[in-house]
Amino acid sequence: NEQERKNHFILRLCEEVGGEHIYLPKGIMSVSPTSQASVRARNSIIKSEFNGRNTRELCKKYKVSQQVIYKILRQKDDK
């Protein structure tokens, strides 16, 4: 069943990377050109909505971490 598969996955993950520091992005990431374009569009919107005091709100709205928000803000516009 679904819960057993989830438990098995977690156990395998612990076996493979247990004790290491890993980053798990929110949502499902894809490397397709379409998804890359949508990420660029999202990042552009985040930059335009950022006012210096709304990091947490942007995190919730776009389902990303604060680290991701700050990384986006540091990126050049041509990326």
Side-chain angles (χ1 to χ4, degrees), residues 20-34:
E20 294 182 34
H21 179 83
I22 59 171
Y23 173 74
L24 300 173
K26 293 181 179 182
I28 296 173
M29 297 300 293
S30 173
V31 294
S32 74
T34 304

Side-chain angles (χ1 to χ4, degrees), residues 1-73:
N1 77 26
E2 183 69 21
Q3 188 59 45
E4 289 173 353
R5 283 197 312 249
K6 289 178 183 178
N7 289 342
H8 178 73
F9 174 78
I10 296 297
L11 289 173
R12 287 277 301 147
L13 186 63
C14 290
E15 289 172 4
E16 294 294 321
V17 294
E20 294 182 34
H21 179 83
I22 59 171
Y23 173 74
L24 300 173
K26 293 181 179 182
I28 296 173
M29 297 300 293
S30 173
V31 294
S32 74
T34 304
S35 69
Q36 289 176 3
S38 64
V39 167
R40 283 192 300 272
R42 178 208 63 195
N43 292 356
S44 178
I45 294 168
I46 287 172
K47 286 181 180 183
S48 69
E49 292 182 358
F50 181 70
N51 67 15
R53 299 182 313 272
N54 62 340
T55 306
R56 288 185 185 175
E57 292 82 10
L58 293 172
C59 291
K60 289 178 184 178
K61 182 175 181 178
Y62 295 102
K63 297 182 171 122
V64 296
S65 68
Q66 286 186 346
Q67 288 177 321
V68 169
I69 296 290
Y70 292 128
K71 182 179 177 181
I72 290 167
L73 294 170

